[in-house]
Amino acid sequence: MQFGDFWVAARIVFIDDPEWYYASCRTKGCNKKLKLKGKWLWCSTCDRNWGDGTLRYRVKVRVVDLDGNAHFLLWDRECLDLIGISADDLKDTHTKGRKGLPKELETLIGQNLLFRIAVRKEQFQNYLNAFPVMRIITDEKIVEKHAPELIQVWDRDLSSKLELELTDEDLWDIERLNEDNSIENGTVKRSLIDEFSSTQSSKKSKDSVVKIEKETDL
């Protein structure tokens, strides 16, 4: 169990939440989600009311590598880099007669990326939390350099990694762990690659791994 920022190589296999955007505060530098307060949208940080907010991406995806799967949370900057269109503009074009997820979001599925994720204490207090993504690297040559096995594997070979889901028994165990404030005997674990920094490209990066698996499999 380690806290900190880690670089993880993984493939996006599907969008895990249909709510892909949120209305944020219009104050410059404030991205806080607005809450409905009477007839207005209210920012708890700025304590200001707005008629509407700035739409920003908040996309929950499921990613897979050769050892397991996990939920990652993509924010506005990363989605803008990947999709090339703002959430505001995408919603405007998508609402014209189309249902389901925008096709632009579906283009994320199948992409092999390097994700810089934040691992915090709350991830181990509730295993259903998604790992927030702080940065992405899309350059295929860089991804292949650090995770060649991920580039070469076919989707059908990764499909088995999605079969392991949290059961009711697992959820009961997680609740018990939360009460006991104990992690060591948990039913789920995640293994992360060592941190990789673009400013220290001379350092050799270890093979990347993302895992969510039962300890009974050890």
Side-chain angles (χ1 to χ4, degrees), residues 18 20 93-104 106:
W20 53 272
T93 58
H94 180 63
T95 52
K96 297 177 180 179
R98 287 191 283 172
K99 297 181 180 179
L101 286 172
K103 62 180 182 180
E104 290 82 355
E106 293 177 351

Side-chain angles (χ1 to χ4, degrees), residues 190-208:
R190 295 181 176 89
S191 296
L192 304 170
I193 65 171
D194 289 342
E195 185 168 6
F196 162 81
S197 173
S198 59
T199 60
Q200 297 175 331
S201 58
S202 60
K203 292 184 178 180
K204 184 178 180 181
S205 177
K206 294 184 179 180
D207 290 342
S208 57

Side-chain angles (χ1 to χ4, degrees), residues 4 10 21 30 55 58 62-63 73-74 78 88 102 113-114 120 129 147 153 164 187-188 206 208 214:
Y21 64 88
C30 180
L55 296 191
R58 183 187 181 279
R62 181 72 68 89
V63 302
L73 194 57
L74 299 173
E78 289 70 37
D88 256 322
L113 304 169
L114 276 171
R120 304 292 182 257
N129 286 338
V153 72
L164 182 59
T187 59
V188 178
K206 294 184 179 180
S208 57
K214 295 183 180 178

Side-chain angles (χ1 to χ4, degrees), residues 25-32 56:
C25 178
R26 288 187 173 274
T27 302
K28 186 176 181 179
C30 180
N31 300 332
K32 185 73 174 181
R56 295 182 180 275

Side-chain angles (χ1 to χ4, degrees), residues 157-182:
D157 297 321
L158 290 175
S159 62
S160 62
K161 308 305 176 183
L162 289 173
E163 296 176 359
L164 182 59
E165 302 292 342
L166 293 177
T167 65
D168 291 338
E169 182 180 354
D170 293 329
L171 295 176
W172 185 88
D173 287 335
I174 291 171
E175 182 178 356
R176 182 180 61 184
L177 286 174
N178 292 338
E179 293 175 356
D180 295 340
N181 195 27
S182 173

Side-chain angles (χ1 to χ4, degrees), residues 28-213:
K28 186 176 181 179
C30 180
N31 300 332
K32 185 73 174 181
K33 182 179 180 180
L34 297 175
K35 299 178 181 179
L36 186 62
K37 189 176 182 181
K39 297 181 179 180
W40 298 92
L41 292 172
W42 173 66
C43 176
S44 60
T45 300
C46 302
D47 194 21
R48 294 184 63 179
N49 293 325
W50 301 93
D52 58 2
T54 301
L55 296 191
R56 295 182 180 275
Y57 287 106
R58 183 187 181 279
V59 181
K60 187 177 181 182
V61 299
R62 181 72 68 89
V63 302
V64 172
D65 73 355
L66 300 182
D67 297 284
N69 68 91
H71 292 105
F72 283 5
L73 194 57
L74 299 173
W75 295 100
D76 195 67
R77 181 180 61 182
E78 289 70 37
C79 288
L80 200 55
D81 287 344
L82 290 169
I83 300 172
I85 182 175
S86 70
D88 256 322
D89 291 340
L90 182 56
K91 184 175 182 297
D92 285 342
T93 58
H94 180 63
T95 52
K96 297 177 180 179
R98 287 191 283 172
K99 297 181 180 179
L101 286 172
K103 62 180 182 180
E104 290 82 355
L105 279 179
E106 293 177 351
T107 62
L108 300 179
I109 298 173
Q111 291 197 32
N112 300 303
L113 304 169
L114 276 171
F115 301 87
R116 184 176 181 178
I117 62 171
V119 181
R120 304 292 182 257
K121 184 178 180 180
E122 53 266 25
Q123 258 81 45
F124 295 95
Q125 292 175 333
N126 184 349
Y127 291 111
L128 301 180
N129 286 338
F131 291 95
V133 175
M134 303 168 63
R135 187 185 165 199
I136 56 171
I137 292 178
T138 60
D139 190 309
E140 187 172 335
K141 291 183 179 179
I142 297 178
V143 177
E144 187 173 9
K145 176 183 177 182
H146 294 280
E149 70 286 349
L150 182 66
I151 300 293
Q152 297 165 4
V153 72
W154 293 92
D155 287 339
R156 64 176 178 269
D157 297 321
L158 290 175
S159 62
S160 62
K161 308 305 176 183
L162 289 173
E163 296 176 359
L164 182 59
E165 302 292 342
L166 293 177
T167 65
D168 291 338
E169 182 180 354
D170 293 329
L171 295 176
W172 185 88
D173 287 335
I174 291 171
E175 182 178 356
R176 182 180 61 184
L177 286 174
N178 292 338
E179 293 175 356
D180 295 340
N181 195 27
S182 173
I183 299 298
E184 288 77 10
N185 296 322
T187 59
V188 178
K189 72 174 182 178
R190 295 181 176 89
S191 296
L192 304 170
I193 65 171
D194 289 342
E195 185 168 6
F196 162 81
S197 173
S198 59
T199 60
Q200 297 175 331
S201 58
S202 60
K203 292 184 178 180
K204 184 178 180 181
S205 177
K206 294 184 179 180
D207 290 342
S208 57
V209 178
V210 184
K211 285 187 181 179
I212 298 183
E213 62 182 19

